Amino acid sequence: MSELTFKWDGQSWEVSGVPESMQVRRDSIFKVEAPETAFELADSGVDSRILFPKGSVLYLPLSPTKDEIRLRQLCQNSKPRLRTSSDKDLLPIILDEDLRINIATRRLIETRCTFVGDSSQTFKSLNDAAQTALKTWTDRETASIGVFKEVRFVHHAELYIIDKKRDEVLDGKLLPQNVESHHTPDLFDESS
């Protein structure tokens, strides 16, 4: 058996590893195992915009009922700096690709992502990651989730639902400005 290497240049396959004195038999069929990272979404002509760029961290608030220690370990990997603390654990989810939104349908386009600090699982979409988290750490009856209302992002040290970002990107509704700039000095602030 020979080991062959296949390289796709965008238009044709380059095959290497065939000994010079041989050729591949016509109509031969090969089953090739390829990693998921070898694939990306094809440009489907769908008009879309970037909601969050690759590398952004989003947060899913959870009240764990199972495997709390593991969840808290993951939450420590990317703990957001917030003005007010959350009463739930914030599971960090990192985007492996730009998170895009279809302009016509206002729906998210599938985007690979992982839990921060756990590269053992790659999810095909933000929805898939959130559903897996619900099944893994909660006793919620159903794993269905509305990611626009339940997944959060950090803006000016505050958590917002990603629906707010959708409104900004598609409708031009600006996110709240930095409230710290309107901060009045504390009574005991010695700098004034």
Side-chain angles (χ1 to χ4, degrees):
M1 183 185 301
S2 293
E3 184 174 305
L4 305 177
T5 302
F6 297 89
K7 181 179 178 187
W8 177 249
D9 67 8
Q11 295 181 346
S12 62
W13 288 101
E14 178 185 309
V15 181
S16 59
V18 179
E20 285 185 31
S21 62
M22 303 188 86
Q23 65 182 19
V24 178
R25 184 175 289 149
R26 186 183 186 130
D27 297 327
S28 294
I29 298 173
F30 301 93
K31 183 176 182 179
V32 178
E33 194 171 310
E36 277 191 41
T37 56
F39 299 94
E40 63 185 7
L41 290 174
D43 182 9
S44 59
V46 171
D47 198 7
S48 66
R49 292 199 181 138
I50 295 176
L51 207 57
F52 295 98
K54 174 183 177 175
S56 296
V57 178
L58 303 176
Y59 297 91
L60 177 63
L62 292 171
S63 295
T65 56
K66 303 183 276 190
D67 202 4
E68 294 173 36
I69 293 171
R70 177 68 180 134
L71 175 63
R72 296 214 167 102
Q73 287 171 340
L74 289 175
C75 292
Q76 292 302 316
N77 288 319
S78 182
K79 202 167 186 172
R81 295 182 99 138
L82 300 173
R83 261 193 284 288
T84 55
S85 61
S86 173
D87 59 340
K88 295 185 177 186
D89 291 303
L90 298 173
L91 175 65
I93 302 168
I94 190 165
L95 302 175
D96 296 338
E97 304 169 313
D98 293 340
L99 181 58
R100 302 186 72 83
I101 187 162
N102 181 315
I103 293 173
T105 64
R106 300 179 66 87
R107 298 179 66 132
L108 294 177
I109 296 171
E110 286 190 351
T111 302
R112 283 192 325 265
C113 55
T114 57
F115 298 143
V116 174
D118 182 5
S119 58
S120 65
Q121 270 186 298
T122 298
F123 304 100
K124 66 181 180 181
S125 67
L126 185 57
N127 192 61
D128 186 31
Q131 286 181 344
T132 299
L134 290 177
K135 289 177 197 170
T136 304
W137 289 293
T138 73
D139 287 331
R140 202 157 137 172
E141 285 184 33
T142 175
S144 66
I145 185 168
V147 292
F148 282 108
K149 301 289 185 196
E150 296 190 54
V151 175
R152 310 284 199 273
F153 70 101
V154 177
H155 174 72
H156 292 307
E158 295 287 340
L159 279 176
Y160 292 96
I161 57 176
I162 65 172
D163 196 34
K164 296 282 186 194
K165 189 69 171 176
R166 174 170 61 175
D167 290 345
E168 180 188 50
V169 169
L170 297 182
D171 303 327
K173 295 180 183 175
L174 296 179
L175 292 169
Q177 296 305 307
N178 189 347
V179 255
E180 284 187 346
S181 63
H182 306 295
H183 175 68
T184 53
D186 188 63
L187 278 176
F188 304 104
D189 186 357
E190 295 180 24
S191 63
S192 34

